[in-house]
Amino acid sequence: MRALDRKLLRDLRSLWSQALTIALVVASGVGGLLTTLSAVDSLAAARDDFYASGRFADVFAAVKRAPRALEERLRALPGVADVQTHVEADVRITLEGVSDPVIGRLIGLDRRQPARMNLVTLRRGFAEASGTPGPPLADGSLPVWVSESFAEVRGLRLDDHLTALVNGRQRTLRVSGVALAPDYIFAGLFGMPDLRGFGVFWVDAEALTAAYDMTGAFNRIAIKLAPGAAERAVIDALQRPLAAYGAREAYGRADQTSHAMLDNEIKEQRVLGTVLPAIFFAVAAFLLNVVVSRLVAAQREQVAALKALGYASSAIAAHYLKLVLVIVVVGFLLGLALGKLLGLLFTGLYAEFFRLPRFDHRLAPWLVLAAAGLTLATAVAGTLGAIGATVRLAPAEAMRPPAPGRYRRTLPERLGLTRLPTALRMILREMERRPWRTALSTGGVAAAVAIVVLGNFIRDAMDTIVDSQFNVAMRSDVAVWTLEAVDDSARHALARLPGVIMTESTRFVPVTLVNGHRRERSQIRGYAEEPELYRIADVHNHNTQPTGAGLVLTDRLAAKLGVGVGDTLLVEVLEGRAQTLHLPVDALVTEMMGLNAYMGRHALNRALGDGDLSNGFALKTEAGREAAALEATRQMPRVIGAFSKASLMRNMQEISARNIRIMSTVLTVFAAVIAVGVVYNNARIALAERSWELASLRVLGFSRAEVSGLLLGEMALTLALAVPLGWLLGWGLVHEVVQLLRSDQFHFPVVILPRTYAWAALAVLLSAAVSALVVRRRIDRLDMVAALKTRE
């Protein structure tokens, strides 16, 4: 073994604790990068594989009722490679012993014509030779395949029975299989995951068409584009042939609910997977710079001796770079293992939201290489300057001790604060002598605080969203809707249900909003002019009332359309008879979820030329009577769906609360590693640099506690500066991440509760306290004789 390599091993042995803390910070950066991006990469790869094997369609459309003969006409359109049609219907599902309302989507599978797009994958159960659940059984029950997420959450097994209200008639559904499909990777209503309250059921197409009198007809269309075809051109070409059958507009994958939610999740996690690791690598570079700078400065004489013995500057620089590379390689390997472990965990969390036939965690080689490259860049960037400054010294110059520092009065003393305690003046002088190290130490601890703030902000934001949506905007207990708009007198029947004390009518109309070349699919929500149970609440929980004959738009929708208050929008109505409206924009509102448009219900009905129609009803019930009201709606044939606000909240929080808790815990642990790395390394370096001073004070009669106070006091002042700075940095980081995560589906409100700031400070202070205890033990064991020896 060469002499420099033996010296390297000795240096690592003496610096093992500092090297370990730096390696852990590097591991946090590598682990955070690999965890997030590998999980997202695995999700995207599994999605793409399922889209390919399941032949996921490119364009979708819905009609009221169209004849099968229309298929050939659509297939002949330019850019269309294939057309597939089927019948689909939403029904109310009743589970034995379950009072919560459940909505089921029945999708017909044709036994005579196998599907060519959106292929259904049977996970377990029975399939006929035709690849379908089969025709009705002798007892009249319908064999069905159930979506996997709904079956697992509801504990459904093969041969279990359910009841569905199919076109006003109660039908028994028998579970004959559990399945997946590429158009229902994400399942839920209203853009929110609802594994308990929404299920997909694939049934025999002939039985479904007979139940809805749709024999020889269809109401759903899927289209595969020809290679090189433009999606927008095909959608425009579909308008005329579909318009005669109740369709107003087709839409592409970007607006397909399952794909949109999945794509949005991938984009969000890629943002987090780049922002957070960048902070870890920056802190690791700082720590490496501080440690290596101190090491090479302490070994000036050794560097001079090596040069005098004939070692070239490049060999000495390579020696110190080897030291750094050993530390970061250990950190990289730990981060690789951590990334694989946490990647598996995050992949499992994704698998609960997004159902795919094969969803294995994979660590792509390019991602490992990218992490290795970033680790190497961190090592070089953090140490090259410190190494170069020392190895460039001439041997004679390096032999001399470093020049003593220039001492001057501290800033408080210059400001006239001369009665400061002696210990405090000593601490302030030391911090002012090394302003860059003080600033970087403070910044490193502040970064740890900021990461904890960001990790727990997500919990604050979700709590705020839930409170705003379910307590401020939605003040009802039960929501009921019908398949088609009905006369508003139907609310009187709802008002007579058990426990109902108040009703409020709404009307939702699907539309396309147009401003010049800009188009956005949305729906106009017709609320009461003075709403009580359904309100328009902004991010600050302020209410906006839909007054006048114009629209209230969310600010994101207005920005996408390029309109403001006072402008007029062209509104293409996508239900009922074909008509186009010109509606002014009365107001804008900043909401948290979706691209929404609102009007007064009466104004909406007048604009459409309809009577007093509604298709949604909000019910307020007496305490404890909610279940009775829901049970009574099952006997109302025109009611297609109903949900309990309490059940929807419970289902949503059941999924999100655990995932947010896991993410917050991981980020808090990473932040604690940063805090320990910064505080411990600074304290160890300060102890090494000031051991002569501290030993002198002990000889002069200072106690261990007083000597420790000088060193630990500097640590305490650094923390006192870093914590509020970290709060401010966390606030800024949250704002930046919120802007990066902003999408059509969600706009996270920037709400950071006091508990989050307190927890961030506590987590970092506890980490610092652990470091302080370790350093205090080293101060107590200080060898005064060795420390007081001076160089000749």
Side-chain angles (χ1 to χ4, degrees):
M1 183 180 291
R2 297 191 308 168
L4 287 181
D5 291 335
R6 287 198 298 271
K7 177 180 177 299
L8 172 64
L9 293 177
R10 287 196 301 269
D11 288 341
L12 284 172
R13 188 165 57 247
S14 64
L15 294 169
W16 73 268
S17 58
Q18 292 170 267
L20 178 60
T21 56
I22 297 172
L24 290 176
V25 174
V26 173
S28 297
V30 173
L33 180 74
L34 296 180
T35 294
T36 309
L37 296 188
S38 68
V40 169
D41 183 53
S42 301
L43 178 61
R47 175 199 64 181
D48 295 341
D49 288 346
F50 194 25
Y51 280 0
S53 63
R55 302 177 192 173
F56 187 38
D58 298 307
V59 176
F60 308 84
V63 295
K64 296 284 289 183
R65 178 191 174 98
R68 293 282 182 183
L70 182 63
E71 284 189 36
E72 292 305 318
R73 184 180 171 189
L74 299 178
R75 193 173 282 111
L77 293 175
V80 174
D82 196 8
V83 176
Q84 179 174 290
T85 60
H86 67 274
V87 174
E88 184 177 297
D90 288 345
V91 299
R92 297 189 67 180
I93 300 292
T94 302
L95 298 170
E96 185 177 353
V98 176
S99 61
D100 292 346
V102 176
I103 303 299
R105 180 159 294 167
L106 302 185
I107 300 175
L109 294 179
D110 197 332
R111 283 177 287 146
R112 298 177 179 83
Q113 187 175 5
R116 301 177 302 281
M117 284 176 279
N118 302 333
L119 305 183
V120 182
T121 301
L122 184 64
R123 301 282 277 176
R124 59 181 181 274
F126 169 80
E128 286 201 331
S130 60
T132 66
L137 301 176
D139 59 1
S141 62
L142 292 175
V144 296
W145 293 346
V146 186
S147 54
E148 186 177 62
S149 57
F150 182 78
E152 287 187 3
V153 171
R154 287 298 186 181
L156 296 178
R157 298 187 295 264
L158 298 180
D159 290 326
D160 281 355
H161 289 72
L162 310 87
T163 303
L165 184 63
V166 181
N167 199 21
R169 180 186 170 194
Q170 293 288 349
R171 298 292 298 270
T172 299
L173 309 180
R174 186 179 68 84
V175 178
S176 63
V178 176
L180 296 173
D183 47 340
Y184 288 99
I185 294 174
F186 168 90
L189 292 172
F190 318 114
M192 293 184 290
D194 189 0
L195 306 183
R196 289 182 173 275
F198 177 76
V200 182
F201 300 82
W202 291 272
V203 302
D204 178 63
E206 186 175 340
L208 186 61
T209 56
Y212 284 92
D213 193 23
M214 296 280 286
T215 303
F218 61 86
N219 62 4
R220 293 293 184 274
I221 306 166
I223 292 175
K224 196 69 177 176
L225 298 178
E231 180 186 281
R232 186 69 252 174
V234 172
I235 289 175
D236 291 340
L238 289 169
Q239 301 303 316
R240 180 170 294 180
L242 294 183
Y245 301 101
R248 296 292 177 264
E249 186 178 51
Y251 55 92
R253 281 189 184 181
D255 294 316
Q256 201 267 344
T257 302
S258 174
H259 176 81
M261 296 301 295
L262 181 53
D263 193 53
N264 184 64
E265 179 68 22
I266 291 173
K267 290 178 181 177
E268 288 181 357
Q269 292 305 317
R270 279 182 176 154
V271 168
L272 293 176
T274 52
V275 171
L276 294 177
I279 297 174
F280 291 116
F281 283 122
V283 174
F286 152 67
L287 290 176
L288 286 168
N289 180 274
V290 170
V291 172
V292 174
S293 297
R294 177 258 166 187
L295 179 64
V296 296
Q299 295 182 355
R300 284 166 60 96
E301 297 93 336
Q302 297 179 33
V303 172
L306 290 170
K307 283 193 168 187
L309 291 172
Y311 284 90
S313 296
S314 58
I316 297 172
H319 161 69
Y320 285 110
L321 279 175
K322 280 184 184 179
L323 174 69
V324 172
L325 288 176
V326 169
I327 296 173
V328 297
V329 165
V330 171
F332 174 76
L333 294 177
L334 288 174
L336 193 61
L338 183 65
K340 181 65 177 179
L341 180 64
L342 291 180
L344 287 168
L345 173 64
F346 276 53
T347 301
L349 296 179
Y350 285 145
E352 295 184 11
F353 279 99
F354 307 110
R355 290 291 170 157
L356 296 147
R358 184 176 179 84
F359 191 10
D360 298 324
H361 177 256
R362 69 174 196 175
L363 205 52
W366 70 266
L367 189 55
V368 176
L369 290 176
L374 285 171
T375 305
L376 181 61
T378 298
V380 173
T383 60
L384 202 57
I387 294 171
T390 299
V391 299
R392 283 195 299 266
L393 289 175
E397 178 65 23
M399 278 291 192
R400 298 193 188 108
R406 297 181 60 187
Y407 294 92
R408 60 178 180 176
R409 293 187 303 164
T410 62
L411 179 60
E413 289 171 332
R414 294 196 297 273
L415 295 175
L417 302 175
T418 58
R419 295 187 177 181
L420 295 175
T422 303
L424 181 57
R425 287 203 303 272
M426 294 173 69
I427 292 170
L428 293 175
R429 283 173 184 164
E430 181 64 21
M431 295 178 71
E432 284 194 26
R433 280 180 59 199
R434 293 177 170 84
W436 278 111
R437 195 175 75 184
T438 300
L440 291 174
S441 300
T442 304
V445 178
V449 175
I451 290 173
V452 182
V453 169
L454 176 63
N456 287 273
F457 148 76
I458 300 173
R459 179 185 59 186
D460 295 343
M462 287 304 300
D463 288 347
T464 301
I465 290 173
V466 169
D467 179 66
S468 177
Q469 294 296 313
F470 292 102
N471 295 327
V472 178
M474 187 189 302
R475 296 162 59 89
S476 60
D477 298 310
V478 174
V480 174
W481 68 94
T482 58
L483 182 61
E484 297 180 343
V486 298
D487 190 276
D488 189 57
S489 60
R491 66 185 174 88
H492 298 306
L494 293 170
R496 293 191 291 270
L497 295 180
V500 174
I501 57 177
M502 184 178 180
T503 63
E504 190 170 276
S505 305
T506 58
R507 186 176 183 186
F508 297 160
V509 178
V511 297
T512 298
L513 304 174
V514 183
N515 180 39
H517 66 282
R518 303 186 184 189
R519 305 171 61 88
E520 288 295 329
R521 295 181 74 251
S522 183
Q523 64 175 350
I524 298 178
R525 304 183 178 199
Y527 284 1
E529 277 69 14
E530 295 184 3
E532 290 293 332
L533 300 184
Y534 265 141
R535 292 183 173 182
I536 306 170
D538 64 14
V539 293
H540 304 295
N541 287 339
H542 297 152
N543 297 321
T544 300
Q545 293 189 354
T547 59
L551 295 167
V552 177
L553 302 181
T554 57
D555 57 347
R556 284 172 293 158
L557 179 56
K560 295 192 74 172
L561 291 168
V563 297
V565 176
D567 293 336
T568 300
L569 276 175
L570 180 70
V571 179
E572 298 175 355
V573 181
L574 303 181
E575 77 170 21
R577 64 183 184 279
Q579 56 181 316
T580 301
L581 310 176
H582 293 83
L583 298 176
V585 178
D586 286 346
L588 302 181
V589 60
T590 303
E591 281 194 329
M592 303 176 196
M593 299 181 66
L595 302 176
N596 302 317
Y598 302 94
M599 279 185 75
R601 186 178 65 85
H602 293 300
L604 176 59
N605 281 327
R606 285 195 300 271
L608 294 171
D610 293 334
D612 191 13
L613 300 183
S614 304
N615 58 5
F617 303 89
L619 311 181
K620 187 72 175 176
T621 64
E622 298 173 359
R625 303 294 303 279
E626 176 186 303
L630 285 168
E631 181 65 31
T633 62
R634 293 178 179 176
Q635 311 306 319
M636 307 178 77
R638 288 192 295 181
V639 172
I640 188 62
F643 70 83
S644 156
K645 181 176 74 173
S647 297
L648 189 60
M649 284 180 64
R650 184 176 63 252
N651 295 345
M652 184 177 175
Q653 290 174 333
E654 185 179 80
I655 299 172
S656 62
R658 185 192 57 183
N659 293 352
I660 291 172
R661 186 169 59 250
I662 291 173
M663 181 176 291
S664 298
T665 301
V666 169
L667 290 178
T668 301
V669 171
F670 283 171
V673 169
I674 286 183
V676 170
V678 173
V679 173
Y680 179 73
N681 276 283
N682 281 328
R684 282 295 311 274
I685 290 168
L687 176 59
E689 292 176 343
R690 302 177 65 187
S691 59
W692 188 88
E693 299 174 25
L694 299 177
S696 299
L697 292 173
R698 288 283 288 120
V699 170
L700 292 173
F702 280 69
S703 67
R704 285 196 179 106
E706 290 171 328
V707 172
S708 300
L710 294 176
L711 199 59
L712 301 182
E714 182 178 338
M715 182 191 301
L717 279 180
T718 300
L719 290 170
L721 293 172
V723 168
L725 179 61
W727 289 340
L728 183 61
L729 184 62
W731 181 86
L733 183 62
V734 164
H735 275 79
E736 183 63 26
V737 169
V738 164
Q739 288 302 315
L740 293 173
L741 294 179
R742 193 167 182 172
S743 66
D744 293 349
Q745 283 76 27
F746 293 104
H747 169 55
F748 283 101
V750 181
V751 178
I752 307 175
L753 300 180
R755 71 183 182 191
T756 293
Y757 287 122
W759 173 243
L762 181 61
V764 171
L765 290 175
L766 287 175
S767 303
V770 173
S771 301
L773 289 174
V774 176
V775 173
R776 169 61 192 268
R777 290 186 63 191
R778 288 188 173 271
I779 295 174
D780 291 344
R781 296 174 181 176
L782 184 64
D783 187 342
M784 290 186 288
V785 175
L788 288 171
K789 288 181 180 179
T790 58
R791 294 178 296 182
E792 296 296 333

